Amino acid sequence: MAEEGYKVTLNVYDLSNGLARQLSTSFLGKPIEAIWHTGVVVYRNEYYFGGGIQSSPAGTTPYGRPLRTVELGVTHIPREVFEDYLRDIAPRYTAETYRLLTHNCNNFSHEVAQFLVGTGAGVPDYILNLPAEVMSSPMGPLIMPMIQNLESTLRSNSAPQATQFVPTPTSVSASAPTEAPASKPTVAAAAKREAPAEKSSKEAPAPAPASAPVPAPAPAPAADPLGSARGKVQEEVMREFAAIMASGTLRASEAAALAMRRVMQRHGDGATMQQG
């Protein structure tokens, strides 16, 4: 354990890329600054919840550049202890357990921050309270069926097993002041290492020299379970908006609200049919 500790920060992203600020008043009847996603940065890595618990070297996540960074404090917990903790909670953070309103990336960041720094730290309230704020808006009752439909579709298409946290080779090599002991290989990691050898035996390439070690391939990061769904809904809304504006009968704010309402009604009808 390093006496000086390890700095802990929170990276904050806007998944809407500014659209929430521009369109929320028309869609929801109240202004919303952003659709928040967060990740905790410590030991030179960023840890976040997306298709399971994921980690990437700081500054290399799929979410781009953070909108802002929040200082959470300093932890004296060694990295190996922290990553053992992540393995313990991994079954609670999977694609199947994801809930957009109640069990999302920001809830994960809040729990992790409190483990590292203490109960006085965590994700700011304006991020944690966003779902309740959205659902209390005039359009909240219309949004809920769409959210339920999206989550039902994602869970039915996801793998049934829980995602187990495994540190990436980069996160292990880019260590903090003290080196963590090597993690025990999991069954999934062993299967990935065996797969290239099996493929090479079928293609019969020239054997590598005995002295040349063959590195194991780095596992690809799992995708955000709601990333593609958000993009599809956003594209659908924009197509509706463009079609309504082309008719020339409504103002932009009215067209935006109508486009959102039509998309939500379509998804809501789908959710009703699935539940029936």
Side-chain angles (χ1 to χ4, degrees):
M1 184 185 302
E3 292 183 2
E4 67 275 16
Y6 309 99
K7 183 179 179 181
V8 184
T9 59
L10 183 76
N11 277 351
V12 180
Y13 305 85
D14 176 15
L15 293 177
S16 75
N17 294 320
L19 282 177
R21 182 188 293 270
Q22 297 173 24
L23 303 177
S24 58
T25 301
S26 298
F27 288 166
L28 302 176
K30 64 192 304 183
I32 299 296
E33 183 180 359
I35 304 299
W36 302 115
H37 167 81
T38 57
V40 175
V41 180
V42 64
Y43 318 115
R44 304 180 187 174
N45 295 310
E46 182 165 344
Y47 299 86
Y48 54 96
F49 178 25
I53 299 176
Q54 304 296 322
S55 70
S56 302
T60 66
T61 73
Y63 302 98
R65 189 170 186 173
L67 188 66
R68 62 183 63 120
T69 297
V70 180
E71 303 284 340
L72 296 180
V74 173
T75 186
H76 294 276
I77 296 174
R79 187 186 61 194
E80 60 268 27
V81 173
F82 172 65
E83 293 191 340
D84 282 342
Y85 159 77
L86 292 183
R87 293 185 189 92
D88 289 340
I89 69 172
R92 292 196 287 109
Y93 288 98
T94 70
E96 284 189 317
T97 64
Y98 188 98
R99 298 293 183 274
L100 184 62
L101 300 179
T102 59
H103 193 67
N104 55 40
C105 56
N106 302 316
N107 302 120
F108 167 78
S109 295
H110 188 64
E111 180 177 345
V112 166
Q114 291 194 329
F115 175 82
L116 288 169
V117 184
T119 56
V123 174
D125 287 343
Y126 71 87
I127 296 177
L128 293 176
N129 295 338
L130 177 63
E133 186 177 353
V134 170
M135 296 313 299
S136 66
S137 70
M139 298 290 283
L142 291 176
I143 295 174
M144 178 56 78
M146 181 180 70
I147 291 174
Q148 291 173 336
N149 188 33
L150 286 173
E151 291 183 340
S152 176
T153 301
L154 287 165
R155 285 194 295 274
S156 65
N157 292 336
S158 64
Q161 69 273 13
T163 300
Q164 182 177 5
F165 171 76
V166 179
T168 60
T170 306
S171 69
V172 172
S173 60
S175 61
T178 57
E179 283 293 329
S183 301
K184 295 181 180 179
T186 62
V187 174
K192 290 182 180 180
R193 286 197 294 270
E194 291 171 4
E198 185 178 337
K199 181 179 178 182
S200 63
S201 64
K202 294 179 181 179
E203 298 176 356
S211 60
V214 180
D224 180 354
L226 288 181
S228 60
R230 291 190 191 98
K232 289 178 182 178
V233 172
Q234 181 176 316
E235 290 174 5
E236 196 173 342
V237 170
M238 296 311 294
R239 283 197 300 270
E240 284 284 354
F241 176 75
I244 295 170
M245 289 298 294
S247 68
T249 57
L250 295 176
R251 293 177 298 178
S253 60
E254 296 170 336
L258 179 58
M260 186 65 174
R261 189 177 301 114
R262 287 179 177 176
V263 172
M264 288 189 296
Q265 286 173 345
R266 282 200 292 270
H267 285 281
D269 291 343
T272 302
M273 291 175 63
Q274 285 186 2
Q275 295 170 1

